[in-house]
Amino acid sequence: MESVLSGHGYRVFRAHTGRIALEAARTAQPRLVIVDVMLPLADPLGLCRQLRDDPEVGPSIPLLVITKSRPAPADHRVAIRSGVWEFLVDPIHPYKLTERVDAYVLATMPSEDPAPAPLTDAEGLYTAEGLNRRARELALQAFHHHAGFACVVLSPAQERDAARVAARLKAAARRSDALGRLG
């Protein structure tokens, strides 16, 4: 996998444990992370949850998991809650691997706008632009996991209630939820 991706122009960082992978993701600021279920000394989905929760890595980095067998529906439910975008079944054809990686990297490329709109506000909630981007990412994730996808918009009657509603939603949110403010 490393030689295929390197040959396709990607710089590949290898980590031999979950702890090293988390540290490497923090410092390298990757466009994509691939986690092998056979990674020693690591719970692959636990590592994905740590990556997703880490503010230096964040929710928008595609997380792919390499597995030896086709995942069951229950595996997909756990994976989507852990922030996994897609399972890839090993062995994977080099063409399919580069096709998947290219698609995810392209989908998450930053805007060429010299002053892009911020994706989150001071309270850590997504802005309208951030919600739009995150909704596209979550829709792609749901598609690959054969999972449902919903959008819920709440409009507190009073602006003063917005912060209280936001705090309660953030406290109850899952990794697969995107919380934002439209106005």
Side-chain angles (χ1 to χ4, degrees), residues 67 69-80 87 89 144-146:
T67 181
S69 59
R70 187 153 307 289
D75 297 325
H76 283 284
R77 286 190 294 279
V78 172
I80 200 166
F87 283 113
V89 179
H144 286 293
H145 289 292
H146 314 288

Side-chain angles (χ1 to χ4, degrees), residues 16-130:
H16 299 285
T17 68
R19 183 184 53 76
I20 294 170
L22 184 59
E23 290 172 12
R26 286 178 180 147
T27 58
Q29 305 258 309
R31 295 263 182 232
L32 175 123
V33 175
I34 299 174
V35 177
D36 191 326
V37 295
M38 302 304 286
L39 183 65
L41 303 173
D43 163 24
L45 296 180
L47 175 58
C48 290
R49 285 188 294 276
Q50 286 180 298
L51 289 165
R52 188 60 63 228
D53 291 344
D54 192 303
E56 294 184 46
V57 179
S60 294
I61 298 299
L63 299 176
L64 309 181
V65 172
I66 300 291
T67 181
K68 293 287 182 193
S69 59
R70 187 153 307 289
D75 297 325
H76 283 284
R77 286 190 294 279
V78 172
I80 200 166
R81 286 182 176 88
S82 299
V84 174
W85 283 37
E86 183 177 4
F87 283 113
L88 300 175
V89 179
D90 194 28
I92 183 168
H93 189 278
Y95 175 78
K96 182 171 174 132
L97 175 64
T98 56
E99 179 184 74
R100 302 306 310 147
V101 169
D102 287 347
Y104 284 119
V105 169
L106 184 61
T108 58
M109 289 291 286
S111 168
E112 292 184 20
D113 184 352
L119 300 180
T120 58
D121 65 14
E123 294 175 5
L125 296 173
Y126 284 104
T127 61
E129 177 65 29

Side-chain angles (χ1 to χ4, degrees), residues 6-22:
S6 294
H8 198 66
Y10 288 103
R11 188 171 51 179
V12 177
F13 294 92
R14 260 174 98 173
H16 299 285
T17 68
R19 183 184 53 76
I20 294 170
L22 184 59

Side-chain angles (χ1 to χ4, degrees), residues 131-175:
L131 278 173
N132 185 21
R133 178 176 170 179
R134 189 68 183 124
R136 283 181 286 160
E137 293 167 356
L138 289 170
L140 183 62
Q141 215 179 333
F143 172 78
H144 286 293
H145 289 292
H146 314 288
F149 177 71
C151 177
V152 177
V153 177
L154 302 175
S155 179
Q158 302 292 324
E159 177 59 31
R160 67 177 186 268
D161 295 334
R164 187 173 43 86
V165 169
R168 285 192 181 166
L169 287 172
K170 284 175 74 172
R174 302 167 298 183
R175 284 168 191 83

